[in-house]
Amino acid sequence: MESPASATVSAGPAPGPTPTDLLSRLRSRGAGDPVTHVERVPARAGVPAPWPPWTPPELRDAFTRRGVTAPWRHQAEAANLAYDGGHVVVATGTASGKSMAYQLPALATLLADPRATALYLAPTKALAADQLRAVAALELEGVRPACYDGDTPRAEREWIRRHSRFVLTNPDMLHHGILPGHAQWSGFLRRLAYVVIDECHTYRGVFGSHVAHVLRRLRRQCARFGATPVFVLASATSGDPATAAGRLTGLPVAAVTEDASPRGGVTFALWEPPLLPPDSGSAPPVPPQPTGDHDDLHQVRRSALRETADLLADTVAEGVRTLAFVRSRKGAEVVAANARRALDDAVPGLGDRVAAYRGGYLREERRELERALLHGDLLGLASTNALELGVDLIGLDAVLICGYPGTRASLWQQAGRAGRSGQEALAVLVARDDPLDTYLVHHPEAIFGAPVEATVLDPANPYVLAPQLACAAVEAPLTPADLALFGDGAKEAIDELVAAGALRQRPTGWYWRHRERPEVDLRGEGGAPVCVVESATGRLLGTVDGGSSHFLLHPGAVYLHQGVSYVVDDLDLADGCALVHAEEPDWSTHARDVTDLSVVSVRSYVDAGPVGMFLGEVDVTSQVVSYQRRRIATGEVIDTRPLDLPTRELRTVAVWFTLSPQSLASAGVQPADVPGALHAAEHAAIGLLPLMATCDRWDIGGLSTAVHPDTEAPTVFVYDGHPGGAGFAERAYGTASAWLRATRDAIAECGCEAGCPSCVQSPKCGNGNNPLSKPDAVRVLDVVLANLPA
């Protein structure tokens, strides 16, 4: 990037460059134009509505003091539906004021009935804390709002249970704390009038399926105390929000989707980092991580992380308040560190205006970063999607999105974080070397002309349903009347729990037999978090989810925290602890794993002559067996070191297709090239599946083989990376033609010759992206598409 030394920086809200001018400056700072498309999202005027007649004067006055003179039409419509006793989901754009849609009826009821209570659920602590500030700022007598989560001091918890009438929490605390302690919460639950579920589009896959049953357990306990609360859900724009909300709550839900709020215009640019010369060492590759970002095995394009870091430094140098979304924790640290370094090289001290924000930080660090961003002490922040949700980020003028976030819903949610009180904003999607990113920046109609995805969750997943029924049985014995509440498969799951000795059947119902409660991980992250501890001081640096620990915290791994590099000395999985020491090595680490798969059963299939398309259950066995150390400056492999970590087993749902050897030979695929052809097609298919389902490639896995023992044919498998499946494989099976057509086009249209991260290489390949055959992958997919019904 050009040196920003001559730039002046303002901490206040002084006008900066317009989005168009800013984009022109950014795109002119290198050789060639990295922008493949610019979409102008026009400004929109708001449509106000009268205050609902039931709004108490003190509530209306409180909103007026906060600058709200009247609700927008969608806010009033949703509020009226909820106040009349209907369950409702309001699914409108970012910054459309969805919070008022539930605040109006809930607070009006609390003011009218001094005994009524309301429960608010957010997927993140930051969002709940933000909503607490908003409700407390209204200064309504007797409401006594309070956050009740893992950060709440124990001394305050008893007061909240007894006195707060508006409790803000998250599904994890509802599951682990409130429902098991329902006796202590009986007064609150008996008077519960409203349950608010904010950002409900985030409850997808296994996490969403678990939350669906936590909500059913909540309804069950409320019914035992004689309460039938109204559910009000808030969602980003999504496909068929009423159906998704109904599946989540188990209730009929009406949808309000017509956004009547005003919106400033957005200039939205698609940005493809430039190609590098084949022998270029000028832009060192950034190591890929199992939770994130980028494959540097063959550096074809400049790293999206480095491109985003330079753009962040440039916008901060222009005095533009900017939020950069990065997919992985390590990526957020790298972007912030590189932006700080570039700014300090130009203006010493300017780098202090940039920071990283991610999960795993301690509570105090998170709160201080949120405060600094809100008060303008920070001009730039590199964040994981922890700040994607509705936290009020007033004053942001630009958003940089480092890599497609996995769904169009998340993309628009992140882009909508920018815009100061309706002013113009800039959003830039920086493409990674990834099949889906490359496809999207060259097919803008797939972003701007396509509907937002429907949220995918499957409450009938037996790996979710059975543990949740066990939790419900601990809270109160299950009865035949509960079967309808928990839905399809409940009786079968109960029978299995009885057979396993977990439940005992008596005439009055099914009783939990053990003293301890079942351990259930709502987020399906593979076990309890692993603590990262500095061995010399005993200081807790942060945590890593159990599912990622084998990749991120194996002995010898390089771990980043707040820009400081550490090397892992020891990983104790039994105690959930990794010991590390501070070190700045000139190499990065890359875990390698091996996978095996066997077919358990076939649920559905399509016989298309030489091609078969299948959906069914599979057993997947995987193990991290080694890691590579690579030079940061060049990507050169220094060595490969063995690891001795336990095997992991997974029963899940997969979609797979088979081809006859004769059809491959007729298409010109030689027998020796079949493994590379299938392997390349598998990688690209995994990369493009998020175009069809609400997942990203880290939610799914794959395997390909020239002859699989269970199919006795050349086969490509794509499977959900969660026990019992998350609904993604079913979505792939249902949209197979469109999914594989997009996959084929992404490979064929890529400008590389032999395959690259933009088409067929994968950042998480356990075989080191070998073998791969790009042209033969196109031939394989041509055979599938020629025979598969549309």
Side-chain angles (χ1 to χ4, degrees):
M1 64 173 234
E2 284 189 3
S3 169
S6 61
T8 58
V9 179
S10 169
T18 66
T20 302
D21 289 342
L22 178 60
L23 180 60
S24 296
R25 296 179 197 179
L26 295 176
R27 68 196 297 185
S28 65
R29 293 186 178 188
D33 186 0
V35 175
T36 61
H37 179 81
V38 177
E39 186 80 9
R40 172 67 187 161
V41 181
R44 178 184 64 213
V47 181
W51 288 102
W54 42 261
T55 308
E58 61 265 44
L59 181 57
R60 186 169 60 244
D61 293 344
F63 278 119
T64 302
R65 289 194 302 270
R66 301 292 296 172
V68 179
T69 57
W72 303 115
R73 186 176 60 196
H74 67 278
Q75 294 171 326
E77 181 184 353
N80 277 314
L81 286 169
Y83 195 80
D84 289 341
H87 309 293
V88 61
V89 55
V90 53
T92 52
T94 307
S96 60
K98 291 186 285 289
S99 57
M100 181 178 274
Y102 53 75
Q103 287 174 0
L104 264 178
L107 294 174
T109 300
L110 265 57
L111 291 172
D113 179 358
R115 293 178 55 80
T117 62
L119 181 68
Y120 169 95
L121 298 174
T124 66
K125 295 177 183 177
L127 180 53
D130 184 74
Q131 285 297 304
L132 174 62
R133 287 191 289 267
V135 174
L138 295 173
E139 298 178 339
L140 298 170
E141 186 176 354
V143 172
R144 300 186 293 273
C147 270
Y148 189 91
D149 57 32
D151 292 340
T152 304
R154 294 203 171 272
E156 296 178 15
R157 296 188 179 191
E158 177 64 22
W159 183 94
I160 293 171
R161 285 194 293 266
R162 289 182 175 273
H163 302 293
S164 176
R165 299 176 58 221
F166 196 114
V167 172
L168 301 97
T169 186
N170 52 62
D172 306 84
M173 180 55 81
L174 181 61
H175 164 64
H176 288 293
I178 295 175
L179 290 174
H182 56 82
Q184 296 173 298
W185 286 88
S186 59
F188 182 90
L189 295 174
R190 183 175 287 111
R191 305 189 301 270
L192 188 59
Y194 287 92
V195 176
V196 176
I197 305 173
D198 208 353
E199 305 290 359
C200 66
H201 64 281
T202 63
Y203 301 123
R204 62 176 180 83
V206 168
F207 179 40
S209 303
H210 273 295
V211 172
H213 287 297
V214 172
L215 295 177
R216 285 158 174 78
R217 287 162 51 201
L218 172 64
R219 289 173 51 206
R220 179 172 178 254
Q221 289 301 324
C222 288
R224 293 181 67 235
F225 293 120
T228 55
V230 171
F231 282 74
V232 185
L233 301 95
S235 170
T237 304
S238 64
D240 199 2
T243 298
R247 190 176 294 123
L248 184 65
T249 61
L251 296 164
V253 180
V256 174
T257 59
E258 197 68 35
D259 193 337
S261 64
R263 183 185 64 193
V266 179
T267 299
F268 203 134
L270 305 183
W271 186 290
E272 187 172 40
L275 286 165
L276 296 174
D279 58 348
S280 172
S282 60
V286 178
Q289 293 298 316
T291 53
D293 247 281
H294 173 87
D295 181 17
D296 65 343
L297 294 169
H298 180 55
Q299 188 73 37
V300 174
R301 294 195 176 274
R302 193 162 190 265
S303 160
L305 289 176
R306 290 189 172 274
E307 197 82 347
T308 302
D310 281 359
L311 291 172
L312 180 60
D314 288 341
T315 56
V316 168
E318 294 275 2
V320 175
R321 294 189 186 185
T322 307
L323 179 60
F325 282 107
V326 189
R327 290 164 59 92
S328 71
R329 292 180 174 188
K330 186 167 185 177
E333 298 276 6
V334 168
V335 167
N338 286 355
R340 283 195 298 262
R341 189 179 302 115
L343 289 165
D344 282 334
D345 287 346
V347 181
L350 187 55
D352 293 341
R353 307 295 297 279
V354 175
Y357 184 103
R358 61 170 176 81
Y361 282 0
L362 302 180
R363 177 194 182 191
E364 295 75 16
E365 293 177 297
R366 296 196 308 270
R367 296 294 179 263
E368 176 56 28
L369 288 169
E370 292 162 17
R371 186 208 63 78
L373 183 66
L374 290 170
H375 288 80
D377 298 334
L378 290 174
L379 273 179
L381 199 64
S383 172
T384 59
N385 64 358
L387 284 180
E388 173 184 322
L389 305 178
V391 177
D392 193 5
L393 305 178
I394 297 173
L396 291 174
D397 301 298
V399 165
L400 308 173
I401 303 169
C402 181
Y404 183 63
T407 67
R408 286 180 287 271
S410 287
L411 181 73
W412 288 109
Q413 189 82 350
Q414 292 180 5
R417 291 291 92 199
R420 185 186 308 170
S421 302
Q423 293 187 12
E424 297 284 315
L426 174 67
V428 180
L429 171 61
V430 181
R432 294 167 303 141
D433 254 351
D434 176 270
L436 181 55
D437 286 43
T438 302
Y439 180 85
L440 290 173
V441 295
H442 291 286
H443 293 80
E445 71 280 1
I447 294 177
F448 302 108
V452 176
E453 308 89 346
T455 303
V456 176
L457 66 150
D458 179 19
N461 179 340
Y463 288 84
V464 171
L465 179 54
Q468 287 292 335
L469 285 167
C471 292
V474 175
E475 293 154 8
L478 293 166
T479 67
D482 293 325
L483 298 180
L485 175 66
F486 288 96
D488 294 341
K491 182 60 169 65
E492 292 81 356
I494 287 175
D495 290 343
E496 291 181 6
L497 289 169
V498 171
L503 295 181
R504 174 182 289 118
Q505 185 172 8
R506 291 179 176 172
T508 52
W510 294 273
Y511 289 73
W512 180 247
R513 297 187 61 179
H514 305 296
R515 179 170 299 179
E516 67 281 359
R517 296 182 63 246
E519 289 291 331
V520 178
D521 176 14
L522 289 193
R523 297 178 185 262
E525 293 176 336
V530 175
C531 296
V532 184
V533 177
E534 189 173 26
S535 54
T537 64
R539 180 167 65 105
L540 175 65
L541 298 176
T543 60
V544 170
D545 66 85
S548 300
S549 60
H550 288 214
F551 292 89
L552 298 183
L553 296 177
H554 61 76
V558 176
Y559 174 80
L560 279 180
H561 180 79
Q562 285 285 35
V564 179
S565 178
Y566 298 84
V567 174
V568 178
D569 299 314
D570 180 60
L571 172 62
D572 188 332
L573 292 170
D575 289 340
C577 180
L579 298 178
V580 303
H581 69 271
E583 184 179 338
E584 294 285 344
D586 64 351
W587 37 264
S588 58
T589 53
H590 309 258
R592 308 284 293 275
D593 65 340
V594 295
T595 301
D596 192 20
L597 181 150
S598 60
V599 175
V600 177
S601 64
V602 175
R603 294 184 183 176
S604 181
Y605 71 94
V606 175
D607 184 350
V611 172
M613 180 67 65
F614 299 83
L615 176 72
E617 289 189 332
V618 296
D619 281 334
V620 181
T621 303
S622 62
Q623 182 180 24
V624 174
V625 295
S626 64
Y627 70 98
Q628 287 184 341
R629 297 191 305 161
R630 302 183 196 160
R631 298 279 181 206
I632 292 177
T634 64
E636 169 197 358
V637 176
I638 301 172
D639 57 21
T640 299
R641 299 189 172 192
L643 289 169
D644 183 20
L645 291 172
T647 299
R648 290 181 165 180
E649 297 181 353
L650 172 72
R651 176 161 290 187
T652 186
V653 179
V655 57
W656 66 94
F657 62 82
T658 61
L659 306 96
S660 70
Q662 296 80 4
S663 67
L664 292 176
S666 299
V669 182
Q670 300 301 316
D673 297 327
V674 170
L678 299 176
H679 195 195
E682 171 215 330
H683 283 180
I686 289 172
L688 269 293
L689 182 54
L691 196 62
M692 306 297 162
T694 49
C695 65
D696 68 33
R697 71 182 308 150
W698 303 98
D699 289 319
I700 47 185
L703 182 140
S704 57
T705 176
V707 180
H708 190 274
D710 294 332
T711 65
E712 300 181 346
T715 310
V716 172
F717 293 90
V718 175
Y719 58 85
D720 290 356
H722 301 278
F728 307 136
E730 286 94 334
R731 179 69 176 163
Y733 181 77
T735 62
S737 293
W739 166 43
L740 296 178
R741 171 64 62 188
T743 301
R744 188 260 182 215
D745 291 346
I747 301 172
E749 293 170 4
C750 185
C752 70
E753 292 185 7
C756 69
S758 295
C759 58
V760 298
Q761 289 189 359
S762 169
K764 58 176 186 173
C765 180
N767 295 320
N769 285 290
N770 184 52
L772 292 174
S773 175
K774 174 185 174 179
D776 287 321
V778 174
R779 297 184 181 101
V780 165
L781 292 168
D782 281 340
V783 172
V784 175
L785 292 166
N787 291 278
L788 197 65

CSV table of all heavy atoms in Angstrom, one decimal, residues 494-526:
chain,number,residue,atom,x,y,z
A,494,ILE,N,-36.8,-41.6,23.4
A,494,ILE,CA,-37.1,-42.0,24.8
A,494,ILE,C,-36.9,-43.5,25.0
A,494,ILE,O,-36.3,-44.0,26.0
A,494,ILE,CB,-38.5,-41.6,25.2
A,494,ILE,CG1,-38.6,-40.1,25.4
A,494,ILE,CG2,-38.9,-42.3,26.5
A,494,ILE,CD1,-40.0,-39.5,25.7
A,495,ASP,N,-37.4,-44.3,24.0
A,495,ASP,CA,-37.2,-45.8,24.1
A,495,ASP,C,-35.7,-46.1,24.1
A,495,ASP,O,-35.3,-47.0,24.9
A,495,ASP,CB,-37.9,-46.5,22.9
A,495,ASP,CG,-39.4,-46.4,23.0
A,495,ASP,OD1,-39.9,-46.1,24.1
A,495,ASP,OD2,-40.1,-46.6,22.0
A,496,GLU,N,-34.9,-45.4,23.3
A,496,GLU,CA,-33.5,-45.7,23.3
A,496,GLU,C,-32.8,-45.3,24.7
A,496,GLU,O,-31.9,-46.0,25.2
A,496,GLU,CB,-32.8,-44.9,22.2
A,496,GLU,CG,-33.2,-45.5,20.8
A,496,GLU,CD,-32.5,-44.7,19.7
A,496,GLU,OE1,-31.6,-43.9,20.0
A,496,GLU,OE2,-32.8,-45.0,18.5
A,497,LEU,N,-33.3,-44.2,25.3
A,497,LEU,CA,-32.7,-43.8,26.6
A,497,LEU,C,-33.1,-44.8,27.6
A,497,LEU,O,-32.3,-45.1,28.6
A,497,LEU,CB,-33.3,-42.4,26.9
A,497,LEU,CG,-32.7,-41.2,26.1
A,497,LEU,CD1,-33.5,-40.0,26.3
A,497,LEU,CD2,-31.2,-41.0,26.4
A,498,VAL,N,-34.3,-45.4,27.5
A,498,VAL,CA,-34.7,-46.4,28.5
A,498,VAL,C,-33.9,-47.6,28.3
A,498,VAL,O,-33.4,-48.2,29.3
A,498,VAL,CB,-36.2,-46.8,28.3
A,498,VAL,CG1,-36.6,-48.0,29.1
A,498,VAL,CG2,-37.1,-45.6,28.7
A,499,ALA,N,-33.7,-48.0,27.1
A,499,ALA,CA,-32.8,-49.2,26.8
A,499,ALA,C,-31.4,-49.0,27.3
A,499,ALA,O,-30.7,-50.0,27.7
A,499,ALA,CB,-32.9,-49.6,25.3
A,500,ALA,N,-30.9,-47.8,27.2
A,500,ALA,CA,-29.5,-47.5,27.6
A,500,ALA,C,-29.4,-47.3,29.1
A,500,ALA,O,-28.3,-47.2,29.7
A,500,ALA,CB,-29.0,-46.3,26.9
A,501,GLY,N,-30.6,-47.4,29.9
A,501,GLY,CA,-30.5,-47.3,31.3
A,501,GLY,C,-30.5,-45.8,31.8
A,501,GLY,O,-30.3,-45.6,33.0
A,502,ALA,N,-30.7,-44.9,30.9
A,502,ALA,CA,-30.7,-43.5,31.3
A,502,ALA,C,-32.0,-43.0,31.9
A,502,ALA,O,-32.1,-42.2,32.8
A,502,ALA,CB,-30.3,-42.6,30.1
A,503,LEU,N,-33.1,-43.6,31.4
A,503,LEU,CA,-34.5,-43.3,31.9
A,503,LEU,C,-35.1,-44.6,32.5
A,503,LEU,O,-34.8,-45.7,32.0
A,503,LEU,CB,-35.3,-42.7,30.8
A,503,LEU,CG,-35.0,-41.4,30.1
A,503,LEU,CD1,-36.0,-41.0,29.1
A,503,LEU,CD2,-34.8,-40.3,31.2
A,504,ARG,N,-36.0,-44.4,33.4
A,504,ARG,CA,-36.8,-45.5,34.0
A,504,ARG,C,-38.3,-45.1,33.7
A,504,ARG,O,-38.7,-44.0,34.1
A,504,ARG,CB,-36.6,-45.7,35.5
A,504,ARG,CG,-37.5,-46.7,36.1
A,504,ARG,CD,-37.3,-46.9,37.6
A,504,ARG,NE,-36.1,-47.5,37.9
A,504,ARG,CZ,-35.1,-47.0,38.6
A,504,ARG,NH1,-35.2,-45.7,39.0
A,504,ARG,NH2,-34.0,-47.6,38.8
A,505,GLN,N,-39.0,-46.1,33.1
A,505,GLN,CA,-40.4,-45.9,32.8
A,505,GLN,C,-41.3,-46.3,34.0
A,505,GLN,O,-41.1,-47.4,34.5
A,505,GLN,CB,-40.8,-46.6,31.6
A,505,GLN,CG,-42.3,-46.3,31.2
A,505,GLN,CD,-42.6,-46.9,29.8
A,505,GLN,OE1,-41.8,-47.7,29.2
A,505,GLN,NE2,-43.8,-46.6,29.3
A,506,ARG,N,-42.2,-45.4,34.4
A,506,ARG,CA,-43.1,-45.7,35.5
A,506,ARG,C,-44.5,-45.3,35.0
A,506,ARG,O,-44.6,-44.6,33.9
A,506,ARG,CB,-42.8,-44.9,36.7
A,506,ARG,CG,-41.5,-45.4,37.4
A,506,ARG,CD,-41.1,-44.6,38.6
A,506,ARG,NE,-40.0,-45.1,39.3
A,506,ARG,CZ,-39.4,-44.5,40.4
A,506,ARG,NH1,-39.9,-43.4,40.8
A,506,ARG,NH2,-38.3,-45.1,40.9
A,507,PRO,N,-45.6,-45.6,35.6
A,507,PRO,CA,-46.9,-45.3,35.2
A,507,PRO,C,-47.1,-43.8,35.0
A,507,PRO,O,-47.9,-43.4,34.1
A,507,PRO,CB,-47.8,-45.8,36.3
A,507,PRO,CG,-47.0,-47.0,36.8
A,507,PRO,CD,-45.6,-46.5,36.8
A,508,THR,N,-46.4,-43.0,35.8
A,508,THR,CA,-46.6,-41.5,35.7
A,508,THR,C,-45.6,-40.9,34.7
A,508,THR,O,-45.7,-39.6,34.5
A,508,THR,CB,-46.3,-40.9,37.0
A,508,THR,OG1,-45.1,-41.3,37.6
A,508,THR,CG2,-47.5,-41.3,38.0
A,509,GLY,N,-44.7,-41.6,34.0
A,509,GLY,CA,-43.8,-41.0,33.1
A,509,GLY,C,-42.5,-41.7,33.1
A,509,GLY,O,-42.3,-42.8,33.6
A,510,TRP,N,-41.5,-41.0,32.5
A,510,TRP,CA,-40.1,-41.4,32.3
A,510,TRP,C,-39.2,-40.6,33.2
A,510,TRP,O,-39.2,-39.3,33.1
A,510,TRP,CB,-39.7,-41.3,30.9
A,510,TRP,CG,-40.4,-42.3,30.0
A,510,TRP,CD1,-40.0,-43.6,29.7
A,510,TRP,CD2,-41.5,-42.0,29.1
A,510,TRP,NE1,-40.9,-44.1,28.8
A,510,TRP,CE2,-41.8,-43.1,28.4
A,510,TRP,CE3,-42.3,-40.8,29.0
A,510,TRP,CZ2,-42.9,-43.2,27.5
A,510,TRP,CZ3,-43.4,-40.9,28.1
A,510,TRP,CH2,-43.7,-42.1,27.4
A,511,TYR,N,-38.5,-41.2,34.1
A,511,TYR,CA,-37.7,-40.5,35.1
A,511,TYR,C,-36.2,-40.7,34.8
A,511,TYR,O,-35.7,-41.8,34.4
A,511,TYR,CB,-38.0,-41.1,36.5
A,511,TYR,CG,-39.3,-40.7,37.0
A,511,TYR,CD1,-40.5,-41.3,36.5
A,511,TYR,CD2,-39.5,-39.8,38.0
A,511,TYR,CE1,-41.7,-41.0,37.0
A,511,TYR,CE2,-40.7,-39.5,38.5
A,511,TYR,CZ,-41.9,-40.0,38.0
A,511,TYR,OH,-43.1,-39.7,38.5
A,512,TRP,N,-35.4,-39.7,35.1
A,512,TRP,CA,-33.9,-39.7,35.0
A,512,TRP,C,-33.4,-40.5,36.1
A,512,TRP,O,-33.7,-40.4,37.3
A,512,TRP,CB,-33.4,-38.3,35.0
A,512,TRP,CG,-31.9,-38.2,34.9
A,512,TRP,CD1,-31.0,-37.8,35.8
A,512,TRP,CD2,-31.1,-38.5,33.7
A,512,TRP,NE1,-29.7,-37.8,35.3
A,512,TRP,CE2,-29.8,-38.2,34.0
A,512,TRP,CE3,-31.4,-38.9,32.4
A,512,TRP,CZ2,-28.7,-38.4,33.1
A,512,TRP,CZ3,-30.4,-39.1,31.5
A,512,TRP,CH2,-29.1,-38.8,31.9
A,513,ARG,N,-32.4,-41.4,35.8
A,513,ARG,CA,-32.0,-42.4,36.7
A,513,ARG,C,-30.7,-42.0,37.4
A,513,ARG,O,-30.3,-42.7,38.4
A,513,ARG,CB,-31.8,-43.8,36.0
A,513,ARG,CG,-33.0,-44.4,35.4
A,513,ARG,CD,-32.8,-45.8,34.9
A,513,ARG,NE,-32.4,-46.7,36.0
A,513,ARG,CZ,-32.1,-48.0,35.8
A,513,ARG,NH1,-32.3,-48.5,34.6
A,513,ARG,NH2,-31.8,-48.7,36.9
A,514,HIS,N,-30.0,-41.1,36.9
A,514,HIS,CA,-28.7,-40.8,37.5
A,514,HIS,C,-28.7,-39.5,38.4
A,514,HIS,O,-29.5,-38.7,38.3
A,514,HIS,CB,-27.7,-40.6,36.3
A,514,HIS,CG,-27.6,-41.8,35.4
A,514,HIS,ND1,-27.2,-43.0,35.8
A,514,HIS,CD2,-28.0,-41.9,34.1
A,514,HIS,CE1,-27.3,-43.9,34.7
A,514,HIS,NE2,-27.8,-43.2,33.7
A,515,ARG,N,-27.6,-39.5,39.2
A,515,ARG,CA,-27.6,-38.3,40.1
A,515,ARG,C,-27.1,-37.1,39.3
A,515,ARG,O,-27.6,-36.0,39.6
A,515,ARG,CB,-26.6,-38.6,41.2
A,515,ARG,CG,-26.4,-37.5,42.2
A,515,ARG,CD,-25.6,-38.0,43.4
A,515,ARG,NE,-26.4,-39.0,44.1
A,515,ARG,CZ,-25.9,-39.6,45.2
A,515,ARG,NH1,-24.8,-39.3,45.8
A,515,ARG,NH2,-26.6,-40.6,45.8
A,516,GLU,N,-26.1,-37.2,38.4
A,516,GLU,CA,-25.6,-36.1,37.7
A,516,GLU,C,-26.4,-35.8,36.5
A,516,GLU,O,-27.0,-36.7,35.9
A,516,GLU,CB,-24.1,-36.3,37.3
A,516,GLU,CG,-23.9,-37.4,36.3
A,516,GLU,CD,-23.9,-38.8,36.9
A,516,GLU,OE1,-24.1,-38.9,38.1
A,516,GLU,OE2,-23.8,-39.8,36.1
A,517,ARG,N,-26.4,-34.5,36.0
A,517,ARG,CA,-27.1,-34.1,34.8
A,517,ARG,C,-26.3,-34.6,33.6
A,517,ARG,O,-25.0,-34.7,33.7
A,517,ARG,CB,-27.3,-32.6,34.8
A,517,ARG,CG,-28.2,-32.1,35.9
A,517,ARG,CD,-28.3,-30.6,35.8
A,517,ARG,NE,-29.0,-30.2,34.5
A,517,ARG,CZ,-28.4,-29.6,33.5
A,517,ARG,NH1,-27.2,-29.2,33.6
A,517,ARG,NH2,-29.1,-29.3,32.4
A,518,PRO,N,-26.9,-34.8,32.5
A,518,PRO,CA,-26.2,-35.1,31.2
A,518,PRO,C,-25.4,-33.9,30.8
A,518,PRO,O,-25.8,-32.7,30.9
A,518,PRO,CB,-27.3,-35.5,30.2
A,518,PRO,CG,-28.5,-34.8,30.8
A,518,PRO,CD,-28.4,-34.8,32.3
A,519,GLU,N,-24.2,-34.1,30.2
A,519,GLU,CA,-23.4,-33.0,29.7
A,519,GLU,C,-23.8,-32.9,28.2
A,519,GLU,O,-23.6,-33.8,27.4
A,519,GLU,CB,-21.9,-33.4,29.8
A,519,GLU,CG,-21.4,-33.3,31.2
A,519,GLU,CD,-21.3,-31.9,31.8
A,519,GLU,OE1,-21.2,-31.0,31.0
A,519,GLU,OE2,-21.5,-31.8,33.0
A,520,VAL,N,-24.3,-31.7,27.9
A,520,VAL,CA,-24.8,-31.5,26.5
A,520,VAL,C,-24.2,-30.1,26.0
A,520,VAL,O,-24.3,-29.1,26.6
A,520,VAL,CB,-26.3,-31.4,26.4
A,520,VAL,CG1,-26.8,-31.1,25.0
A,520,VAL,CG2,-26.9,-32.7,26.9
A,521,ASP,N,-23.4,-30.2,24.9
A,521,ASP,CA,-22.8,-29.0,24.3
A,521,ASP,C,-23.7,-28.5,23.3
A,521,ASP,O,-23.9,-29.0,22.2
A,521,ASP,CB,-21.4,-29.5,23.7
A,521,ASP,CG,-20.7,-28.3,23.0
A,521,ASP,OD1,-21.1,-27.2,23.2
A,521,ASP,OD2,-19.8,-28.6,22.2
A,522,LEU,N,-24.3,-27.3,23.6
A,522,LEU,CA,-25.3,-26.7,22.6
A,522,LEU,C,-24.7,-26.4,21.3
A,522,LEU,O,-25.3,-26.6,20.2
A,522,LEU,CB,-25.9,-25.4,23.2
A,522,LEU,CG,-26.8,-25.5,24.4
A,522,LEU,CD1,-27.5,-24.1,24.5
A,522,LEU,CD2,-27.9,-26.6,24.2
A,523,ARG,N,-23.5,-25.9,21.3
A,523,ARG,CA,-22.9,-25.4,20.1
A,523,ARG,C,-22.2,-26.5,19.2
A,523,ARG,O,-21.6,-26.2,18.2
A,523,ARG,CB,-21.9,-24.2,20.4
A,523,ARG,CG,-22.7,-23.1,21.0
A,523,ARG,CD,-21.8,-21.9,21.4
A,523,ARG,NE,-22.6,-20.9,22.1
A,523,ARG,CZ,-23.2,-19.8,21.5
A,523,ARG,NH1,-23.0,-19.6,20.3
A,523,ARG,NH2,-23.9,-19.0,22.2
A,524,GLY,N,-22.2,-27.7,19.7
A,524,GLY,CA,-21.7,-28.8,18.9
A,524,GLY,C,-20.2,-28.6,18.5
A,524,GLY,O,-19.8,-29.0,17.4
A,525,GLU,N,-19.4,-28.0,19.4
A,525,GLU,CA,-18.0,-27.7,19.1
A,525,GLU,C,-17.0,-28.7,19.5
A,525,GLU,O,-15.8,-28.5,19.5
A,525,GLU,CB,-17.7,-26.3,19.7
A,525,GLU,CG,-18.5,-25.2,19.1
A,525,GLU,CD,-18.2,-23.8,19.8
A,525,GLU,OE1,-17.8,-23.8,21.0
A,525,GLU,OE2,-18.4,-22.8,19.2
A,526,GLY,N,-17.5,-29.9,19.9
A,526,GLY,CA,-16.6,-31.0,20.1
A,526,GLY,C,-16.1,-31.1,21.5
A,526,GLY,O,-14.9,-31.5,21.7
